[in-house]
Structure formats: structure tokens, C-alpha cells
Amino acid sequence: MYKILATETLTVNSKLFRVEAPYVARKARPGQFVVVVVDEQGERIPLTVADIDAGAGVITIIVQQVGKTTCQMATLEAGDSLAVVAGPMGLPSHLGNYGTVACLGGGFGMAAMFPIARALKQAGNKIIGIIGARNLDLLIWEDRLRGISDEFYVTTDDGSKGRKGFVTQVLQEKLEAKEKIDLVFGVGPVPMMRAMTRTTLPYGVKTIVSLNPVMIDATGLCGVCRVTVAGETKFACVDGPEFDAHQVDWDQLVARQALFVPEEKLALARFQERIAAQAGAKA
Amino acid sequence: MPKANFSRHGMPSQDAAERIKNFGEVALGYSEEMAVEEANRCLQCKNKPCVDGCPVNVRIPEFIKAMREGDFPEAARIMKSTNMLPAICGRVCPQETQCEEKCVYFKRGASVAIGRLERWIADWELDRGVELPQLSELSGKKVAVVGSGPSSLTAAGELARMGHQVTIFEALHRPGGVLTYGIPPFRLPRTVSGAEIANLQKLGVDIVYNFVVGKTATVDEMLADGYDAVFLGTGAGLPQFVGVPGENLAGVYSANEFLTRVNLMKAYAFPEYDTPVKVGDRVAVVGAGNVAMDSARCALRLGAKEVSIVYRRSRTEMPARAEEAEHAEEEGVRFLLLTAPTKMIGNDKGAVCAMECQQMQLGEPDASGRRRPLPMPGSEFTLEADTVVVAIGTSPNPLVPRSTPGLEVSRHGTVVVDPATGATTKKGVWAGGDLVTGAATVISAMGAGRRAAASIDKYLKGEE
Ligand SMILES: Cc1cc2nc3c(=O)[nH]c(=O)nc-3n(C[C@H](O)[C@H](O)[C@H](O)COP(=O)(O)OP(=O)(O)OC[C@H]3O[C@@H](n4cnc5c(N)ncnc54)[C@H](O)[C@@H]3O)c2cc1C
Ligand SMILES: Cc1cc2nc3c(=O)[nH]c(=O)nc-3n(C[C@H](O)[C@H](O)[C@H](O)COP(=O)(O)OP(=O)(O)OC[C@H]3O[C@@H](n4cnc5c(N)ncnc54)[C@H](O)[C@@H]3O)c2cc1C
Ligand code: SF4
Ligand code: SF4
Ligand code: FES
């Protein structure tokens, strides 16, 4: 069992966990993730290592509630435990001195982007941070990302904070204005990463995205995470999760992610009923 | 000289129509009476041909003799002197190409049912509480065993018995390797494999889960951390694909994914368990080994209306255990032989809806000694399928080899060892099982674990 030492509610749909996982804390590098299972009946889900306290043997993970497992995690508090925390999985980000790097984050990707952007900064890059959410209440780690960025932008779909619109619009304007951007990095929902790809392709700016296909073991055993990149099949859990966005077969990724949607909906509905019944019993 | 008796005792089993509705064990096992009757058929051959057919040389006539004398504890003891996991081997060994193939009755189609007797005596012992072997004096040496499949379990058990302090490091959250994530419970009930593993733990073997060697720590780090020797038993878990267009459509599973969902993650109990599995009405399984049969039979049990095995060679070349192919057929699995997929076809949502296949014919034998399948031009046809499971083989996972400098690997990705000892090219590191041989059998993996344990013991004592 892996003990939860502290939690922090970040937004209405995201929560931070500090979890005791000494082996992972010793080895994890920016860009890597862990596999988490909540309890005996649980499924294995991948979550990015958002920060590490190696000395204490503690990792930070940030979870956005989208379905049964992530919603169940959100009910856990300090003192509770997770049945499994395995990793670090995946290849670490390729950190070099590229010059100016635009780092885009959306959804849980705001937190997942943070360790990568920080490391890129430490490697001597100029960082343009661009994060976005539907509205201001859903922003995650804005201050931390701002703190390591040389230039920083926030976008919201409804204009409640920063620029109204999407993260890719800021990127688009900068590229149009011929600002120097040597590399674009992005973590977030597939539609955002896909839009990034469309934005940068005409300008030929190298673009790296951290893909999030469905995963199970994350050790290369099952192949559920396979994605087609430059016409070749790759296992995102061991060959990735970061790939050249311009080479990704996005249609395929979207189709593969959709396979279990009816089952995911059923699992979430059942879970919500259970929670409601428990709340009813208490009241 | 006992008289020959050619009537092999049949195996009681769940009725086919009933069993495809559950994941309970298919073969129910002999009663004591049947077991003793079957044991009585053994001719106690002086030259013991059956023993040569067993990769770990189980002392077959001897354990059978003890059985028919009613001395079951002695039979179990003899069995376990060479085979640590008889309840498992009795169920999953391909007996017809091993011990039973060498039995003098084989040509008459009536080999003594060695596997079933092995299973019976092992179950008898498990029911009563297993007698633990004598442990040697503690050596003070520490051994790390990587993976918890049959090769690792055997190596760990032997090393613990020899007095070494053994820790198993397993990537997944449950022990057993293929015994847990691959072979379905209707062939190997989890109570059986679980009991065998619990007995190992009673010998003092410690198991650390969620530890991915090569990621969580490297072999070099484990050696530097105070382990005196490392045994690698990480198996051959990397799924291969056919390489035809459309193979990454949604609804196309590797057998490993399909079976892992069902067996390791218990998707058959969704939504009690969180991991789902989706099985359409029409399922095509590519391949005809044990893995393919297991996938086909799981699909039936999950509600598929029509399940087809698609295999490019003929029935004779099918690599599955004979009993599994028979069971699959009884359960209604269709066999499309001399048929190979050429393309997976998707619908407008990017999910598979059909498979284009081609008829094959057999040509000259190839390197494997089996006749080579050759495509027949113009024989293409379309097989409707809303779920496809690809079960055409696996290769060793490169995580450990890639992160371990000094470990020689063949061009097939298997780890190179001295076959007599299991020693790799790296000092202090041994390997065995599917990682070394490529996908093989439970019993050969166990044999390798045992040989490596003997060699590690010598090394730790400074004798090698
Ligand atoms: C390498 C990697 C790192 C990740 N890091 C994080 C992280 O740090 N924080 C975080 O909150 N999430 C992260 N994710 C996504 C996270 O794993 C999924 O959100 C989670 O598995 C959903 O589980 P669930 O049961 O709650 O939802 P489900 O019921 O499985 O899904 C609910 C909805 O989310 C969609 N969905 C399912 N799986 C994914 C997925 N992998 N990516 C995107 N959408 C999905 C479904 O289509 C469905 O609409 C990461 C994914 C990967 C592959
Ligand atoms: C579906 C199926 C059915 C089969 N049916 C039969 C049968 O009927 N009869 C028969 O004799 N054989 C059968 N086999 C083959 C047999 O199961 C294998 O030959 C045998 O299990 C190999 O044992 P092993 O110890 O080498 O490895 P495995 O059983 O493959 O176990 C390897 C273990 O190592 C772990 N591991 C891998 N990488 C790492 C890492 N980096 N760090 C830590 N742990 C790691 C894995 O998670 C796994 O638990 C079948 C195989 C399959 C897949
Ligand atoms: S271990 Fe397998 S091959 Fe050996 S005797 Fe038992 S069933 Fe036969
Ligand atoms: S070959 Fe057959 S009959 Fe002879 S000893 Fe072995 S099991 Fe018995
Ligand atoms: S998640 Fe199973 S191989 Fe990548």
C-alpha cells in the first residue's frame, strides 16, 4: 500500500496528492508517469509524476476527475492509501538547450507540463508558458508555471481570466509574428494537442506532445497503448509518452480512446449512485 | 509383469453447454478411485521412457507406484523432489508431446494419464496442507529474482530451500506471470496457483510488487544495493502483430491485452471490477496456440455468438495442447484453417468490422520443420468480425536487456546463457524461462529456474 500523506483540492475537478513512493521518487525524471490502482477492484491508470521530494521519498500527482477511477481518487484524503503506485514508467523527456521553448498545458496537462518546463528552464531554455482552461476556476498551478516562465499567458474559453480563447491562438499569433520559437511542447487533452499540431505544421516548428492513450500494464506487455507515429506502431508506455506531434496518426488515437466510452460511462454512473446512496445514509 | 490395460480413464469435465457460461474449471479431476485405477495401468517399465520425456525428469513410475500403494504423502514427496509446482504442471503441461508421448502405451493412443495423476496427487496434498521441505542453514546471501512467473517461482523456491535470502521483484501487482495474467481460471483456478505461491512464501521468499526492473531500479543498482546474485525470469511478454493494414483499429486486441483485461484485471466481473473488456458478436482470433485457444474460449464465455480461430496452417501443425483444441471445438469455436488475414477493415468510427483473409496451401517444410503455408492467389474473402484478437506470438520484453550493460542478447531479443547453468554473460546474473528460449512452456521455464538456482548456489558458496 502506498500512503497518501497530503492532499489539496486545486479546482472543482482536480486534486493533488502527495504519496509515499520511495522507489519512484528516487528515479523519476520529468516526463515520466506512474501506474496507479486505487483498490482491490481497481483498474490501472497512468498519472504523470508532477513533482518529487526525493529526500522524503514522496511524489506529487495531480488528478483531473473525468471518470470512475479519477472521481474515486478524489474521495481519498491524507491517511488513505493507494493499492498500487508503480513506476516510473515511460521515457524521460529529452531535455536539451533548444533556445526558446513554448510550453503548452491544458487540463491535467498544466501540472504534467510543469516538471518538464522547469527542467527545460534549468537546461538554459527561454520558456514561453501558455496554459488554458474553460474558465478561471479550472486553472491548475498557474503560479508555479508563471514562476518558471520568461513569458507567460493564460487563456480561458469564456474570457474569465487572461485571453479569451484557446492556448493555440496565442501560439498562432506568435508564430505569425515570426517570434523566435525553436520548440513547442504540449501536454493536455487530445483535441488541444491535435490543434497544436495543426498550428505549428505550416511553420515547420518541431512539436512534441505527451500522448495519453488508454494504458493497462505500462510495461510493454499488452499493446493497448499503441499509436502510429511516422507510419510505425509504437507503444506509448515504453517508447513514449512523448512523440513528434507532426507524425502522430491522430484519427487512430481518437478512435482507440473511444472504444470503452459506454463502459466508462456505466462505471461512473454506478459509482456516483453509490456515493449518493452513502451521502443519503449519512444525512 | 502386470497386464497391459489399454483403457485410459476419461476425465470428468463440465458439460460444454454449461461451462461456456462460467469461468469455473473445465476439467474436474479424477476421484481417488479413478486415480488409483489409472495408476494401476502403469507397467513400471524398467527403462522409464516417460521420465526422459519430462523436461524436469519427474520420477514418474516411482510416484505412480506410491500412489497405487495408497501412500499419497510419499507420492507427493517424490513428485516434488523435481517439480515444485505439480498442481500447475499437471494441468497445463503439453503432456502429449512430453512425458505421455514417451509412454509405452502412446502408440496405442492410451498413454498412462501422467498429467492427470500428477494433478490428482498435487491437489490431494494442497487440500491437506503441504509438507514444507527442510530448509538448509541460512547462508547470509541475498538473491534478487526478477519476475514471478514459473521460472522465477522455481528459482526462488529452490534458493530459499538452500538457505539464501530471496526477494522477488514483480512489475505487476499480482504474482504468477502468465499463470496469472494469461492462462484463464477455467484451465488453472487461481486457488491452485495461489496456494502454490503461498507455499513458496512460507519458505521465506519475499515478494515486492509494482517494481519494474529497468525502470524502478536497474540490475546494476540491485547488485550495488547488496544483492549477491540476480536471476532474470521476465518472460516473453511483448506481443507481436501480423503486420497487416488496419491492425491498430479500435477493437483489435493483442491476446495479451485481451487476456490481461480478463484474467489479471478480472474484466469478466465488470462492473464489480473496474477494468472493462469489449467483446463483439463475432470474434476472430488469429493463431492456433494455447494463447489463441484461451482467447477464443474467454470470448465465448464473455458472450460472443461466433468465435473463429484463423490459422494459416492445418490442424496437424496447430501448436496448442491437444486437450485445449478439443475443448475449444466442443465449446463451438470454429476453426478456419489454412487461412491468413491480409487486412483489417474498419467502420466510419475507426473500429474493426471485418477481416480480409486469404486461403493458404502447404508447401515444403520450413526452418521449424513444419510445412510452409503459401498464399493461394485470388482466394481472398471477407470475414465479418467486430473483435479481433491477435495471438501469433510474443518476444522478450527489452526493458531489462536494454538497461543492463554487459548482458548479451541474441538477435531475437532473447538473453544468451550457458544452457547447463543459466549463467548470462554478466557476472552475478542468471536468466531462464521464456526470456531465454522465447515463448515456450511452464515446465521448461521451471526446469531453467531450477538449473539456475543450483548454479547460483554454487557461486554463492564460492564453488564456481
Ligand atoms: C502517460 C499518461 C499520463 C497521464 N497523466 C495524467 C495526470 O497526471 N493527471 C490526470 O488527471 N490524468 C492523466 N492521464 C489521463 C488519465 O490516465 C485518465 O484520465 C484516466 O485513466 C481516466 O480514468 P477514469 O476511470 O477516471 O476515466 P474513464 O472512465 O476511463 O474515462 C472518462 C473519459 O476520459 C476519457 N479518457 C479515458 N482515458 C483517457 C486518457 N488516457 N486520456 C484522456 N482521456 C481519457 C474517456 O474517453 C472518457 O471520455 C494521463 C494519461 C497518460 C496516458
Ligand atoms: C495465454 C497463455 C497460455 C499458455 N498456456 C500454456 C500451457 O497450457 N502450457 C504450458 O506449458 N505453457 C503455456 N504457456 C506458456 C507459459 O505460460 C510460459 O512459457 C511460461 O509462463 C514462461 O514462464 P517465465 O517464468 O519465463 O515467464 P512469465 O510467466 O512470462 O513471467 C514473467 C513475469 O515477469 C514479470 N516481468 C517482466 N518484466 C519485468 C520487469 N522488468 N521487472 C519485473 N518484473 C517483470 C512479468 O510481469 C511476469 O509476471 C501459455 C502462455 C500464455 C501467454
Ligand atoms: S511435469 Fe509435465 S512433462 Fe513432467 S511429468 Fe509432469 S506433466 Fe509430464
Ligand atoms: S512409460 Fe508409461 S507405463 Fe511405462 S513406466 Fe512410464 S508411465 Fe508407466
Ligand atoms: S500499456 Fe500495455 S503495452 Fe503499453
Side-chain angles (χ1 to χ4, degrees):
Chain A
M1 299 293 268
Y2 299 79
K3 202 155 174 215
I4 298 172
L5 301 177
T7 67
E8 185 187 330
T9 299
L10 299 178
T11 69
V12 287
N13 70 355
S14 63
K15 190 161 172 172
L16 173 152
F17 298 86
R18 282 170 49 81
V19 185
E20 215 169 55
Y23 291 127
V24 180
R26 197 169 61 187
K27 292 286 280 197
R29 298 286 169 270
Q32 291 188 295
F33 62 95
V34 287
V35 166
V36 168
V37 179
V38 176
D39 61 16
E40 167 65 26
Q41 286 79 27
E43 61 180 341
R44 297 172 64 95
I45 67 160
L47 296 167
T48 304
V49 179
D51 210 352
I52 303 169
D53 185 343
V58 175
I59 62 167
T60 298
I61 46 186
I62 287 175
V63 180
Q64 189 183 9
Q65 296 138 44
V66 294
K68 193 272 161 170
T69 303
T70 46
C71 289
Q72 187 184 3
M73 265 189 89
T75 65
L76 302 179
E77 297 298 344
D80 291 336
S81 293
L82 296 168
V84 173
V85 177
M89 307 295 199
L91 299 175
S93 303
H94 206 77
L95 300 168
N97 191 342
Y98 305 97
T100 302
V101 186
C103 294
L104 279 66
F108 77 82
M110 290 179 264
M113 191 72 242
F114 172 73
I116 303 170
R118 180 173 59 185
L120 284 167
K121 171 84 180 169
Q122 281 161 359
N125 296 284
K126 180 182 167 200
I127 304 296
I128 303 176
I130 313 174
I131 63 170
R134 278 205 312 280
N135 61 53
L136 85 162
D137 295 327
L138 298 178
L139 291 167
I140 301 173
W141 273 10
E142 183 191 345
D143 48 341
R144 295 196 78 177
L145 281 152
R146 186 190 299 277
I148 50 141
S149 297
D150 296 279
E151 267 181 54
F152 186 70
Y153 303 88
V154 170
T155 69
T156 48
D157 298 4
D158 65 356
S160 53
K161 172 110 195 218
R163 295 272 303 274
K164 183 171 157 67
F166 299 125
V167 282
T168 42
Q169 286 168 318
V170 176
L171 183 64
Q172 172 82 34
E173 283 164 24
K174 292 192 161 289
L175 291 169
E176 260 167 31
K178 302 221 163 40
E179 281 187 37
K180 179 172 139 50
I181 295 180
D182 301 292
L183 180 70
V184 174
F185 223 112
V187 194
V190 167
M192 174 195 122
M193 295 192 287
R194 194 172 194 176
M196 282 173 56
T197 309
R198 289 198 201 100
T199 309
T200 59
L201 195 56
Y203 299 91
V205 181
K206 178 141 175 127
T207 303
I208 297 173
V209 285
S210 181
L211 296 184
N212 40 25
V214 173
M215 293 188 180
I216 302 176
D217 56 290
T219 66
L221 178 83
C222 76
V224 66
C225 62
R226 59 197 193 280
V227 289
T228 302
V229 183
E232 266 184 66
T233 296
K234 299 279 180 192
F235 286 11
C237 68
V238 288
D239 302 324
E242 288 169 14
F243 293 100
D244 179 347
H246 296 162
Q247 307 286 342
V248 171
D249 182 337
W250 292 101
D251 284 337
Q252 188 182 82
L253 179 59
V254 170
R256 290 185 61 82
Q257 271 196 352
L259 184 66
F260 292 104
V261 166
E263 287 76 14
E264 287 158 359
K265 284 199 174 128
L266 172 71
L268 180 60
R270 261 177 55 102
F271 176 72
Q272 284 166 337
E273 266 169 40
R274 208 175 79 204
I275 292 290
Q278 277 169 10
K282 263 190 213 147
Chain B
M1 190 57 192
K3 238 180 87 202
N5 169 352
F6 295 102
S7 78
R8 175 176 158 116
H9 225 298
M11 185 65 144
S13 47
Q14 268 203 80
D15 183 57
E18 209 36 57
R19 72 186 186 229
I20 60 166
K21 297 182 205 142
N22 64 57
F23 275 79
E25 193 169 17
V26 168
L28 299 171
Y30 282 156
S31 65
E32 179 172 332
E33 205 186 351
M34 292 175 194
V36 173
E37 255 174 51
E38 183 64 22
N40 276 326
R41 288 178 57 226
C42 172
L43 299 171
Q44 294 289 309
C45 309
K46 282 268 145 21
N47 55 345
K48 311 175 200 169
C50 48
V51 175
D52 297 330
C54 169
V56 298
N57 305 120
V58 165
R59 292 149 58 196
I60 297 165
E62 287 172 69
F63 97 78
I64 293 184
K65 181 160 181 280
M67 265 183 90
R68 64 186 184 205
E69 287 167 359
D71 190 351
F72 302 138
E74 178 60 12
R77 231 169 277 136
I78 295 169
M79 168 69 57
K80 298 232 290 219
S81 68
T82 61
N83 179 349
M84 302 258 291
L85 309 168
I88 296 170
C89 295
R91 286 174 166 83
V92 306
C93 263
Q95 286 94 6
E96 72 275 11
T97 61
Q98 298 186 347
C99 52
E100 294 181 16
E101 185 186 28
K102 294 285 156 55
C103 175
V104 291
Y105 281 117
F106 181 74
K107 291 217 169 63
R108 301 284 294 267
S111 301
V112 171
I114 301 167
R116 294 169 184 176
L117 293 179
E118 175 167 332
R119 164 187 166 148
W120 189 84
I121 197 68
D123 286 358
W124 179 89
E125 200 196 19
L126 283 177
D127 280 347
R128 276 156 194 80
V130 166
E131 190 178 294
L132 290 181
Q134 203 65 40
L135 300 191
S136 307
E137 216 168 293
L138 293 183
S139 69
K141 301 286 185 186
K142 283 170 65 181
V143 185
V145 170
V146 183
S148 64
S151 67
S152 294
L153 292 174
T154 309
E158 293 282 337
L159 287 162
R161 216 159 50 96
M162 294 161 175
H164 308 299
Q165 189 189 330
V166 183
T167 308
I168 288 180
F169 294 90
E170 168 56 52
L172 297 173
H173 58 290
R174 293 192 209 287
V178 170
L179 306 177
T180 299
Y181 78 73
I183 301 181
F186 55 80
R187 278 218 288 141
L188 179 63
R190 296 309 184 247
T191 44
V192 172
S193 43
E196 300 255 36
I197 293 163
N199 286 325
L200 272 183
Q201 285 172 296
K202 286 190 200 133
L203 299 179
V205 173
D206 201 19
I207 309 185
V208 177
Y209 299 105
N210 314 318
F211 195 106
V212 189
V213 174
K215 288 283 172 191
T216 314
T218 62
V219 170
D220 282 325
E221 285 165 337
M222 297 170 96
L223 288 167
D225 249 8
Y227 287 97
D228 301 293
V230 176
F231 173 79
L232 302 173
T234 50
L238 188 77
Q240 289 163 4
F241 289 89
V242 190
V244 297
E247 227 169 353
N248 292 346
L249 287 165
V252 181
Y253 298 94
S254 77
N256 271 4
E257 181 194 345
F258 189 69
L259 294 170
T260 297
R261 284 181 182 276
V262 176
N263 299 317
L264 177 73
M265 305 309 296
K266 304 200 168 80
Y268 56 81
F270 179 86
E272 274 335 299
Y273 281 74
D274 289 341
T275 306
V277 67
K278 195 167 219 138
V279 179
D281 287 344
R282 292 202 178 83
V283 179
V285 178
V286 185
N290 287 320
V291 186
M293 298 302 151
D294 285 345
S295 303
R297 297 172 71 199
C298 281
L300 273 180
R301 282 162 176 74
L302 293 163
K305 297 209 174 72
E306 191 180 285
V307 180
S308 309
I309 289 274
V310 176
Y311 182 49
R312 61 192 184 129
R313 303 183 202 247
S314 73
R315 183 92 191 208
T316 349
E317 289 84 18
M318 266 179 12
R321 282 182 84 214
E323 191 183 4
E324 307 316 327
E326 281 158 27
H327 280 161
E329 206 159 31
E330 283 168 20
E331 290 169 9
V333 172
R334 281 206 306 169
F335 287 77
L336 295 181
L337 303 172
L338 291 167
T339 304
T342 48
K343 192 164 129 192
M344 318 255 167
I345 301 163
N347 62 17
D348 57 348
K349 297 198 181 70
V352 69
C353 62
M355 195 160 81
E356 186 187 272
C357 300
Q358 194 173 33
Q359 223 72 69
M360 310 295 271
Q361 60 190 7
L362 292 182
E364 294 301 306
D366 64 11
S368 73
R370 295 177 301 177
R371 293 177 64 194
R372 186 195 302 274
L374 301 167
M376 292 167 68
S379 65
E380 289 78 8
F381 68 99
T382 305
L383 177 71
E384 274 181 52
D386 33 22
T387 298
V388 173
V389 180
V390 180
I392 58 160
T394 53
S395 49
N397 187 312
L399 277 184
V400 172
R402 269 193 206 145
S403 61
T404 312
L407 193 68
E408 194 185 326
V409 175
S410 78
R411 68 193 164 83
H412 302 292
T414 53
V415 168
V416 177
V417 301
D418 173 344
T421 62
T424 68
T425 50
K426 189 177 175 78
K427 190 174 151 55
V429 181
W430 281 256
D434 283 4
L435 171 66
V436 167
T437 55
T441 59
V442 170
I443 190 66
S444 63
M446 286 177 47
R450 200 177 136 107
R451 280 193 298 280
S455 169
I456 292 171
D457 183 55
K458 279 195 185 152
Y459 168 82
L460 294 176
K461 289 185 177 141
E463 292 167 14
E464 216 169 58

